[in-house]
Amino acid sequence: MAARAGFLLAAAAWVCLSAVSASAFDDVPTAAFDERFSSLFGDGNLVRSSDDRSVRLLLDRRSGSGFMSSDYYLHGFFSASIKLPKDYTAGVVVAFYLSNGDVYEKTHDELDFEFLGSRWGGQWRVQTNVYGNGSTSRGREERYLLPFDPTLEAHRYSVLWAPTHIIFYIDDTPIREVIRHPDMGGDFPAKPMAVYATIWDGSAWATEGGKYKVNYKYAPFASEFSDLAVVGPRADPVLRVPRRGGAGDQDDDQDLLGLMTADYAVMTPQKRAAMRAFRARHMTYTVCYDAARYASGPFPECDNSDDERENFSAWGESKTVVMRPRARGRRRGRKAGGAAFARGRAASS
């Protein structure tokens, strides 16, 4: 009862936080799947809606599934409304991210939302990653709990990638800001990236370090993507220059100016306060306080404080924000046959 009361209070607080910028994304155009995206893998497990405005990605014993954008982009705003699988989802990973790993295998850039399943229905964790120029050994990861049940309805997850900064959003609330620091060097993503969405078996690491695996008794695991938005200049991933000739193409300088001055690219004092409130209530790990992993000190872009440091262990784990089981209802699932198949990307955790 107490756990449910706490969850309801968190949900109420989230509504207040999300209200800080209720119109921030109202003018962001969304695209039909065929306009901007194509299937990546698991064709039979990728189901497009009749109006082509939403996509279901399924994971079962045979395969996961995924899609990617038809173009690469040099900076932009990338967004999707996502509804996550329900019931027992340990080991399941749903990802919405930017990457150029198909072009730059050893020096790739990447910006991630990774959703990590749980033994308890609805209690997903979210991990954000920032990698530049193959800097996975200097991974800039953070993890958070969600203040709502992401399996009941879709919520919007967005990434603003500008030449000077990066902002991760959940609905209209910024949850992380990375300001480019000169000492970051190539660790700040700077090469054109494509947009990806996937669901896959991350049993090796996703839930409590791999302790709990995917249980296909509850398959198929279904994630739903809608309100797909890609705003930014298209670019050649190898030459790293703008691409011309597409429908609606505008002058590249104007595209960048529009991006930098849009509401979602500007961090106002009100939005920064909402971000700090979210992080204080829901962040379970940050690389900025991980002195065990990075003994030489935090990364140059980290905005650390001595008061905040007291709330984190030497491993960067929060002492105050911890996952607690929610009340569990009856679990339901369907068996799925076929040969085992796992697909995933290497991920740090």
Side-chain angles (χ1 to χ4, degrees), residues 90-172:
V92 177
V93 178
V94 175
F96 178 66
Y97 63 103
L98 309 176
S99 178
N100 48 36
D102 290 341
V103 180
Y104 300 96
E105 184 177 350
K106 296 182 179 180
T107 59
H108 84 287
D109 304 316
E110 191 169 327
L111 296 171
D112 295 273
F113 271 109
E114 287 184 324
F115 304 91
L116 313 178
S118 170
R119 291 179 295 153
W120 304 301
Q123 188 73 303
W124 286 75
R125 289 182 304 155
V126 179
Q127 178 166 309
T128 59
N129 306 318
V130 177
Y131 305 127
N133 207 36
S135 62
T136 52
S137 63
R138 300 181 301 281
R140 288 160 160 85
E141 300 95 4
E142 289 189 345
R143 288 188 290 275
Y144 326 86
L145 300 181
L146 289 169
F148 49 77
D149 186 338
T151 73
L152 296 179
E153 60 183 4
H155 288 264
R156 191 163 191 167
Y157 304 89
S158 310
V159 179
L160 177 281
W161 172 39
T164 54
H165 63 293
I166 298 161
I167 304 175
F168 292 86
Y169 286 91
I170 298 180
D171 291 328
D172 294 302

Side-chain angles (χ1 to χ4, degrees), residues 314-325:
W315 290 97
E317 301 285 345
S318 174
K319 299 176 182 178
T320 58
V321 181
V322 295
M323 179 178 286
R324 295 182 177 88

